[in-house]
Amino acid sequence: MTVKTIEGEEKQLGEYAGNVLLIVNVASYCGYTPQYAGLEQLHQNYKDSGLRVLGFPCNDFGAQEPGTNEQIVQFCRKNYGVSFELFDKVHALGGQKHPLYSRLTQSVNPPGDISWNFEKFLVGKQGEVVARFRSSVKPDSPELVAAIEKELSR
């Protein structure tokens, strides 16, 4: 599957084979936006072990990501020191739903549409979606950290 980086370059998700992915639909003006700090901490703690945090800006929920890609990057770096990978703004709902989100939301329990910003999908080293975490699950929550560590140890 192809996605676009926030700089506009096409990238194959297959390039991440052998890594554990945490895919998150992010937004700059949401009550959950402070989770950027926790996502960055996960990135720093586990990047050398093979975790890749992938942020996909999305304006589908409350129009809370209205900015351009350049504005999004500036906001994330300035306010949260984000160094994990960010991608082009996508739709996670409706007729324009990105194929990535179609796959994510159909490949894990519970299946179904994303309900808000900062929903997290954990993808194993072989590309299988292994877990889904609602927006309210913080990046440092014991259940998310344990799931990441379990996948990294496989």
Side-chain angles (χ1 to χ4, degrees), residues 4-5 28 31 33 37 46 56 61 72 98 102 108 118-121 130 141 148 150 154:
K4 274 191 184 176
T5 67
S28 298
T33 298
Y46 295 104
F56 286 85
F61 306 97
I72 293 166
H98 192 281
S102 292
V108 70
F118 288 87
E119 192 152 324
K120 299 152 200 75
F121 292 87
V130 296
S141 73
I148 289 169
K150 177 181 174 184
R154 291 179 183 228

Side-chain angles (χ1 to χ4, degrees), residues 114-135:
I114 291 173
S115 58
W116 202 250
N117 302 307
F118 288 87
E119 192 152 324
K120 299 152 200 75
F121 292 87
L122 189 62
V123 178
K125 294 177 183 177
Q126 305 302 317
E128 70 284 5
V129 184
V130 296
R132 178 179 190 168
F133 299 90
R134 299 290 182 193
S135 305

Side-chain angles (χ1 to χ4, degrees), residues 52-147:
R52 299 294 174 259
V53 177
L54 308 182
F56 286 85
C58 180
N59 198 37
D60 291 349
F61 306 97
Q64 295 180 343
E65 188 56 273
T68 65
N69 284 348
E70 184 177 278
Q71 291 168 327
I72 293 166
V73 169
Q74 268 186 327
F75 174 86
C76 291
R77 290 188 179 146
K78 177 183 174 193
N79 295 295
Y80 296 101
V82 167
S83 64
F84 60 82
E85 290 182 79
L86 295 170
F87 291 82
D88 191 28
K89 197 183 300 188
V90 298
H91 287 285
L93 292 176
Q96 293 181 307
K97 183 190 294 188
H98 192 281
L100 172 63
Y101 277 92
S102 292
R103 179 167 179 242
L104 290 172
T105 57
Q106 294 170 9
S107 301
V108 70
N109 282 321
D113 283 338
I114 291 173
S115 58
W116 202 250
N117 302 307
F118 288 87
E119 192 152 324
K120 299 152 200 75
F121 292 87
L122 189 62
V123 178
K125 294 177 183 177
Q126 305 302 317
E128 70 284 5
V129 184
V130 296
R132 178 179 190 168
F133 299 90
R134 299 290 182 193
S135 305
S136 59
V137 176
K138 294 179 180 177
D140 64 351
S141 73
E143 66 181 300
L144 178 55
V145 171

